[in-house]
Amino acid sequence: MNTSVHTAMPVAVAGQSIPVRAILPWAVFGLIVSALLIYFVGAEQGATSLISGHAVHEFVHDGRHLLGFPCH
Ligand SMILES: [Zn+2]
């Protein structure tokens, strides 16, 4: 059996690690975007509404029910 196919791969591909400093800004960005999405799906209604009208509420209405937020 010829195993030269497996040994021809570069060694560096196998075990590269990503430093935490490179991931941290993207993790913070992801948390902020996630918090905004959760806010607009779950709390953008009534007294906590930032945008007047029902457009945002109606747009995320199915997601609101899917995630179990109280609605109507
Ligand atoms: Zn509803």
Side-chain angles (χ1 to χ4, degrees):
M1 188 169 117
N2 185 4
T3 59
S4 64
V5 173
H6 298 291
T7 57
M9 290 184 64
V11 176
V13 172
Q16 287 187 341
S17 63
I18 302 172
V20 174
R21 282 176 172 256
I23 294 175
L24 191 61
W26 292 103
V28 170
F29 176 71
L31 284 174
I32 290 171
V33 170
S34 300
L36 278 174
L37 284 174
I38 288 293
Y39 169 76
F40 277 111
V41 171
E44 178 66 16
Q45 182 182 19
T48 60
S49 179
L50 293 178
I51 300 170
S52 63
H54 294 280
V56 174
H57 177 81
E58 294 300 329
F59 185 72
V60 298
H61 191 241
D62 290 343
R64 187 178 184 91
H65 282 275
L66 179 71
L67 295 174
F69 286 102
C71 186
H72 52 78

